[in-house]
């Protein structure tokens, strides 16, 4: 049998257990050119909250009573496709269930000889590429720049900071609570940290970046984004990656200080990782090198059991996880 | 004697008559290398509202009990500076009074043989340069693009639209009321107009730009900016020039739909005309040519009498003026 998680209700605010249903169906049968994949890991990403809403933004919302969308990694267990053999490890945008079918398009065959399968959902997968291209392509870091990143103890924020450090930036991270701040400073090498739960964020940014912030990489939105805006340096680049503080709010908190873009001669743009899939190799090559050289630290937070999907998803928004959050099926 | 308008109180909301004082002082005496200018025209610009606030944005706020800052144009009436002769016409960032002194730095000598003096405060001055560089440098129009501009019957909006048309764009203007919309369509050549006082702006943009807006040039902020944001085309450029709908509000209305920057792969930047003063000649050359060829229409709205400064300034915000608003001293 095939266990799957269906989206059965559109969440109001934070996703509830009752918005999902765990069902069992028969394992699907593959047609010509198709492969059957047994999923081993499901990636939990803030973007999922948006996918649960009706309508289309950069991607269509998940249909009601359909399996919840997710990036997953697994092993090919049946193949009618000459490009894939049984035993191959693959990764792609699938759904939260034990078995998925693919015609082989838009999935990546991955090398698990030296690298754990799960890493392809994190540092060498979508979040890794988001951090890499969001920072390097959109943020355009230069040696001596001051980079500020929110969600600094999270998957993307921690990576953005570490890559910026490699590029010669001073890195300031914003995270929630003493533990996460300590982790960012001692483990991840942030030069400075701001605890948004205890500090006056705007004041603290000003203190730590007296000449202003050259790059602000935003994972959270809301008041922290506004606090960063008023501290932009001339010519700053603001990269919008996410707005995790806002996804569960019915009333999306706007950006009050957007006029600072004008006075700071700043630019604001966003990062959609799908646009960079054709360039994935560049990122994977650099990230693997940095990992091997010990220049980047990477941490996973793995929860076991497909039935724990709803509560694991919520951890992203309550900030309970350190590093990359995954569900092991 | 020299009549001058002092800023004596920081306005709360809309600037009131009582925020200013008309005083008479002696005509100042020039020192070595200085010139005395008799101002003929004062430019009324939305940016003035920001200059009246305390603190510094891209420029310092006007000090209390000091003459109000303004772009003015006038004639040299005394000169101790070898670069300026009595009778020369000049333009610069001065103050609202009959006579001002300059050491000749940061002012432009202007040619009034073929062009009226007042035009150097409008189409060939700061607002003209703002529209020109804001559109061409920041907006990057391409043939076939759809340009949307707010304040379409105003000084900057009307010019942005007309330049975009020359560049081969479809131009859609937003203005307030039937008269302004008719003026934008029949006189200025806008392809389509939206009356924000009577239309559902977001719905109307969608209807008139079914494939989205490639360039949105914003002069107003507030709900109109949000309505434009949700209608951005992929790769759109948002150019923030001003936020006239918000300058008088204590509670600045934020930008709700900023996440559209991400999904539309858009960029947002602002235009500060001061940055383009070194390139003024480019703009003046093109704009003069277009005026001569009849490709651009230009309209002035002139109010007479320095004592009318406060009420004339308010016209900008109540939307009573068509085209460039000036005070004739």
């Amino acid at each position: 049998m095939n266990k799957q998680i269906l989206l059965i209700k559109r969440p109001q605010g934070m996703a509830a257990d009752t918005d999902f249903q765990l069902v069992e169906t028969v394992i699907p049968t593959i047609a010509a050119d198709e492969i059957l994949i047994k999923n081993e890991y499901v990636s939990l990403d803030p973007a999922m909250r948006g996918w649960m809403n009706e309508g289309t933004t950069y991607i269509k919302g998940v249909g009601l009573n359909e399996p919840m969308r997710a990036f997953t990694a697994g092993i090919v267990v049946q193949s009618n496709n000459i490009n894939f053999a049984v035993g191959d490890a693959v990764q792609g945008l699938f759904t939260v269930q034990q078995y998925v079918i693919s015609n082989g398009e838009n999935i990546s065959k991955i090398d698990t000889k030296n690298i754990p399968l799960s890493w392809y959902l994190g540092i060498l997968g979508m979040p890794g590429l988001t951090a890499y291209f969001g920072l390097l392509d959109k943020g355009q870091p230069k040696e001596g720049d001051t980079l500020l990143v929110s969600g600094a103890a999270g998957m993307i924020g921690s990576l953005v900071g570490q890559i910026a450090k490699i590029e010669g930036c001073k890195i300031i991270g914003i995270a929630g609570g003493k533990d996460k701040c300590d982790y960012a400073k001692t483990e991840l090498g942030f030069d400075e940290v701001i605890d948004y739960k205890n500090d006056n964020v705007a004041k603290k940014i000003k203190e730590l970046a007296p000449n202003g912030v050259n790059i602000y990489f935003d994972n959270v939105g809301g008041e922290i984004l506004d606090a960063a805006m008023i501290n932009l340096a001339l010519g700053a680049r603001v990269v919008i990656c996410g707005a995790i503080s806002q996804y569960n709010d019915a009333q999306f908190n706007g950006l009050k200080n957007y006029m600072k873009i004008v006075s700071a001669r700043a630019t604001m743009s966003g990062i959609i990782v799908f646009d960079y899939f054709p360039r994935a190799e560049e990122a994977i090559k650099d990230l693997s090198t940095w990992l091997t050289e010990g220049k980047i630290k990477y941490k996973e937070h793995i929860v076991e059991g497909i039935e724990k999907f709803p509560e694991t998803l919520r951890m992203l928004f309550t900030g309970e996880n350190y590093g990359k959050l995954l569900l092991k099926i």
Side-chain angles (χ1 to χ4, degrees), chain A:
Chain A
M1 294 299 281
N2 174 35
K3 285 186 184 167
Q4 53 182 207
I5 297 282
L6 305 182
L7 178 71
I8 59 166
K9 256 172 59 190
R10 306 234 171 256
Q12 302 293 319
M14 190 79 90
D17 288 355
T18 49
D19 296 328
F20 301 99
Q21 189 177 7
L22 175 69
V23 296
E24 290 198 44
T25 59
V26 291
I27 296 171
T29 312
I30 55 174
D33 292 323
E34 288 186 339
I35 57 175
L36 184 70
I37 301 159
K38 185 169 192 300
N39 277 330
E40 299 208 351
Y41 293 97
V42 170
S43 174
L44 283 297
D45 298 292
M48 289 176 144
R49 183 60 189 80
W51 301 345
M52 294 177 201
N53 293 333
E54 210 169 353
T56 298
T57 54
Y58 63 96
I59 194 170
K60 243 187 108 202
V62 175
L64 280 186
N65 304 311
E66 288 179 11
M68 179 59 201
R69 181 185 296 139
F71 285 92
T72 66
I75 305 294
V76 175
V77 290
Q78 287 176 26
S79 177
N80 288 336
N81 185 309
I82 51 163
N83 298 314
F84 295 87
V86 169
D88 280 352
V90 293
Q91 180 265 113
L93 185 56
F94 289 110
T95 42
V96 185
Q97 51 184 322
Q98 288 177 296
Y99 293 92
V100 290
I101 279 182
S102 168
N103 63 3
E105 280 171 28
N106 298 317
I107 68 172
S108 324
K109 226 194 293 195
I110 55 190
D111 174 10
T112 52
K113 268 201 296 288
N114 304 307
I115 293 171
L117 178 62
S118 60
W119 285 26
Y120 288 94
L121 294 178
I123 191 155
L124 298 180
M126 194 270 285
L129 269 57
T130 303
Y132 182 91
F133 290 110
L135 175 69
L136 297 179
D137 213 60
K138 300 285 184 178
Q140 297 282 329
K142 289 187 296 291
E143 189 152 354
D145 275 354
T146 294
L147 168 117
L148 177 71
V149 59
S150 51
M155 168 69 228
I156 290 179
S158 64
L159 197 48
V160 164
Q162 293 179 92
I163 300 173
K165 185 125 196 187
I166 294 169
E167 298 294 315
C169 300
K170 171 177 176 177
I171 61 171
I172 305 174
I174 305 173
K178 190 178 178 309
D179 285 355
K180 284 194 173 180
C181 285
D182 286 349
Y183 166 70
K185 201 155 180 180
T186 55
E187 299 278 320
L188 302 172
F190 275 85
D191 296 302
E192 303 287 353
V193 287
I194 298 169
D195 177 359
Y196 73 83
K197 289 186 176 166
N198 293 297
D199 292 327
N200 175 327
V201 177
K203 218 174 122 186
K204 195 88 183 182
I205 298 171
K206 199 182 172 92
E207 188 185 311
L208 298 175
N211 299 319
V213 167
N214 302 102
I215 305 172
Y216 175 56
F217 194 104
D218 187 39
N219 292 303
V220 302
E223 287 173 15
I224 291 176
L225 173 57
D226 269 321
M229 291 298 291
I230 54 174
N231 285 292
L232 297 181
L234 267 187
R237 287 81 69 200
V238 178
V239 182
I240 305 290
C241 178
I244 200 169
S245 73
Q246 303 293 310
Y247 291 160
N248 293 306
D249 293 359
Q251 186 65 24
F252 196 91
N253 218 332
L255 167 53
K256 278 208 179 60
N257 301 326
Y258 79 90
M259 285 296 286
K260 183 72 188 185
I261 290 175
V262 184
S263 57
R265 284 76 165 167
T267 55
M268 179 181 275
S269 62
I271 168 80
I272 295 279
V273 71
F274 297 107
D275 299 345
Y276 289 93
F277 282 175
R279 292 174 58 188
E281 284 309 312
E282 288 174 49
I284 291 172
K285 185 169 161 283
D286 278 347
L287 291 166
S288 309
T289 307
W290 292 330
L291 279 165
T292 314
E293 295 173 351
K295 285 184 181 162
I296 282 183
K297 288 194 181 159
Y298 178 56
K299 196 165 182 170
E300 291 180 327
H301 187 135
I302 299 176
V303 177
E304 285 205 37
I306 190 171
E307 71 283 0
K308 291 196 179 141
F309 175 78
E311 61 189 271
T312 311
L313 178 67
R314 282 196 296 273
M315 290 173 67
L316 275 182
F317 298 97
T318 52
E320 285 167 60
N321 62 303
Y322 279 59
K324 175 62 196 166
L325 187 61
L326 295 165
L327 193 65
K328 192 169 190 315
I329 296 190

